[in-house]
Every structure is written in structure tokens, then in C-alpha cells.
Amino acid sequence: MQSDIQRVLFDGPAIHKRLGELAKQITADYSDRELTVIAILTGSLMFMSDLLRRIPLPLRLDCLSVVSYHGKTQTSGDVIFKELAVPDVADRDVLILDDILDTGYTLAAVRKKLEMAKPRSIRVCVLLSKRKQRARDIDADYIGFAIDDEFVVGYGLDFMERYRNLPYVGVLRKELLERMASDDSVMLSQAKHL
Ligand code: IMP
Ligand code: MG
């Protein structure tokens, strides 16, 4: 698994240090309110678990499973919610957690869906945000790290459901991406679990 990684962007200690800073900021911003965290599975699992343990506030936690059908390494515009009902967030202060903001399709769809329940406020927190033009008008309020537009894996992020358990975030070798992506018959039959 390690040999598939071209270079490490953020190792475990760097991630944990940054999570400490993010948690401090979020704790200060919500000190007088009860937070409702909505984590988007599966990619945000590690991030959610390490971040929330650093936030000493009363909070509620819910998870949403979202699937996006895709070709190659791009998310498609079709964002499908696996739950029949979304959490009731009426009058709540909602913080959406996701692993990475890429095209923006996923977070824009989740935000729109939750807004229908009339929360008091909604903010978005991501571990990673790619510096690029987005397909949807959405930005994150809290960002762990801004990165170049490269395909990364580890610390929850996957490529074809693998590499999530790496304790760091790294760039996947280009040859590997190209080899896998050229086999469209495999890729197109995959539903990407975000
Ligand atoms: P978006 O809808 O294009 O913003 O994509 C968001 C989802 O696509 C994330 O939650 C990830 O699951 C996945 N994704 C986007 N970029 C990457 C990447 O570089 N590595 C792994 N997954 C990614
Ligand atoms: Mg994914």
C-alpha cells in the first residue's frame, strides 16, 4: 500500500496538530450553542472521530451516506442520498463535516437538502479543500488544509474503496490512477461511497 503513494502531503502529527487548531476555533465559535454535526460517510470517518474528540462542547452527531456514480476519479453531478429521511435539523446549528471539497457537487447537494429542514445556521468543515474552479457555488467555513488539484488518499480518503486506513494523506502514483482509470468497465460499474 505504501509503495502506491507518490508522496506524503500531511503525516499523522501534522494532521493532529491542525485538528487541534480547528477544534479550538470551532469550540470558540460555538461556545454558547449546541452543535449538531452531520458527518458525510465514509470519507470523513477518521477526520470526524479525531476532530470531535477535541471539541469539549455538548453536541449531537448524525451521519449521512451519500453515493455518487462516477467514471474515473471525478464525482458526477448525481448525488444520491442512501437514507430515506435526513436528520431533523430544524432550529439547530449545523456543522457539516466532509473529507474533501473537490467539485462541490456533494457538499452543495447535502447543504441544500439540510436547508430544507430550516436549521438556525449551517456551516461546512472539511479536512481538505482543492484549489480549483468548482462546479457548484460552495465554500467551506473551516478548512484543515488547502491542496493542489491532485488525487489524494489516506486518513479516510479512498481510491476504489482502498487506502482509507493509511494514517497520513498522500498523493497516489499517477501510473496507478491511469492504469485503473483506463479500465472503464471496472470503474463505471463502481458506485463511489463518499
Ligand atoms: P465533490 O462532490 O467533487 O466535491 O467530491 C467530494 C467527494 O469526492 C469527497 O467526499 C471524496 O469522497 C471524493 N473525492 C474528491 N476528491 C478526492 C480525492 O482527491 N481523493 C479521494 N476522494 C476524493
Ligand atoms: Mg471517496
Side-chain angles (χ1 to χ4, degrees), residues 127-142:
L127 176 68
L128 304 167
S129 173
K130 288 190 188 172
R131 293 185 208 98
K132 67 190 286 187
Q133 188 78 33
R134 304 206 197 286
R136 288 283 179 276
D137 181 23
I138 180 131
D139 214 346
D141 302 277
Y142 303 98

Side-chain angles (χ1 to χ4, degrees), residues 43 99 156-158 161 164 192-194:
D99 52 359
L157 291 121
D158 74 302
E161 294 304 320
R164 292 196 199 273
K192 186 164 71 166
H193 295 265
L194 302 168

Side-chain angles (χ1 to χ4, degrees), residues 23 28 131 159 180:
R131 293 185 208 98
F159 176 57
M180 302 275 220

Side-chain angles (χ1 to χ4, degrees), residues 20-190:
E21 294 165 359
L22 271 184
K24 220 167 143 186
Q25 197 187 337
I26 293 168
T27 304
D29 291 353
Y30 290 91
S31 58
D32 53 350
R33 288 177 283 170
E34 189 188 58
L35 197 51
T36 298
V37 174
I38 307 283
I40 304 179
L41 298 177
T42 305
S44 71
L45 265 180
M46 318 287 176
F47 176 45
M48 168 191 75
S49 143
D50 286 340
L51 180 74
L52 296 188
R53 278 180 286 179
R54 289 176 165 82
I55 299 179
L57 293 176
L59 61 78
R60 299 187 186 203
L61 172 61
D62 254 305
C63 296
L64 269 185
S65 275
V66 177
V67 177
S68 160
Y69 291 89
H70 71 118
K72 306 198 172 78
T73 52
Q74 285 289 320
T75 308
S76 81
D78 301 322
V79 178
I80 297 158
F81 290 78
K82 293 215 276 180
E83 284 86 0
L84 291 176
V86 294
D88 181 13
V89 293
D91 296 322
R92 305 204 152 271
D93 290 300
V94 173
L95 184 64
I96 305 171
L97 289 192
D98 203 1
D99 52 359
I100 188 165
L101 179 55
D102 182 22
T103 63
Y105 280 125
T106 307
L107 279 165
V110 169
R111 193 186 173 124
K112 192 169 158 209
K113 189 101 172 171
L114 292 172
E115 267 167 359
M116 283 163 29
K118 302 258 181 290
R120 188 182 318 156
S121 68
I122 294 199
R123 283 185 186 164
V124 172
C125 175
V126 289
L127 176 68
L128 304 167
S129 173
K130 288 190 188 172
R131 293 185 208 98
K132 67 190 286 187
Q133 188 78 33
R134 304 206 197 286
R136 288 283 179 276
D137 181 23
I138 180 131
D139 214 346
D141 302 277
Y142 303 98
I143 295 172
F145 304 98
I147 62 168
D148 290 338
D149 189 9
E150 295 181 292
F151 198 81
V152 294
V153 293
Y155 195 69
L157 291 121
D158 74 302
F159 176 57
M160 295 180 75
E161 294 304 320
R162 300 200 183 89
Y163 308 102
R164 292 196 199 273
N165 54 327
L166 287 175
Y168 53 80
V169 172
V171 179
L172 201 59
R173 297 195 97 86
K174 286 247 161 40
E175 316 89 79
L176 230 140
L177 276 177
E178 281 156 13
R179 192 171 352 123
M180 302 275 220
S182 68
D183 190 357
D184 274 359
S185 58
V186 177
M187 294 298 294
L188 290 171
S189 67
Q190 295 265 334

